Amino acid sequence: MIEVINMEGMPVYKCRTQDEETFSVSQLEGKGLPCGIYFIRIKKAHGIETAKLLIC
């Protein structure tokens, strides 16, 4: 599962994916997210990864 979280800790986008699928940040284009700083949380079978995302 992929979650995009704003600076207030609120989820603004969620996407359920299979482990074999790949995810690209370009898939978030056109989702209507305003400019700002976000965090991407990717949950997989082996753990959770978090990264910072800047949308301008």
Side-chain angles (χ1 to χ4, degrees):
M1 182 168 79
I2 298 168
E3 259 185 318
V4 178
I5 302 163
N6 65 14
M7 291 294 291
E8 296 173 354
M10 303 294 294
V12 294
Y13 176 77
K14 286 186 182 182
C15 177
R16 296 199 186 281
T17 62
Q18 301 296 326
D19 286 337
E20 64 272 0
E21 291 182 34
T22 59
F23 176 77
S24 173
V25 174
S26 63
Q27 290 175 321
L28 291 175
E29 292 178 4
K31 299 294 182 192
L33 297 176
C35 294
I37 300 172
Y38 297 90
F39 294 95
I40 297 177
R41 182 183 301 156
I42 303 171
K43 296 180 184 178
K44 292 189 174 186
H46 67 274
I48 298 173
E49 296 179 34
T50 304
K52 188 165 44 171
L53 171 66
L54 177 63
I55 297 179
C56 295

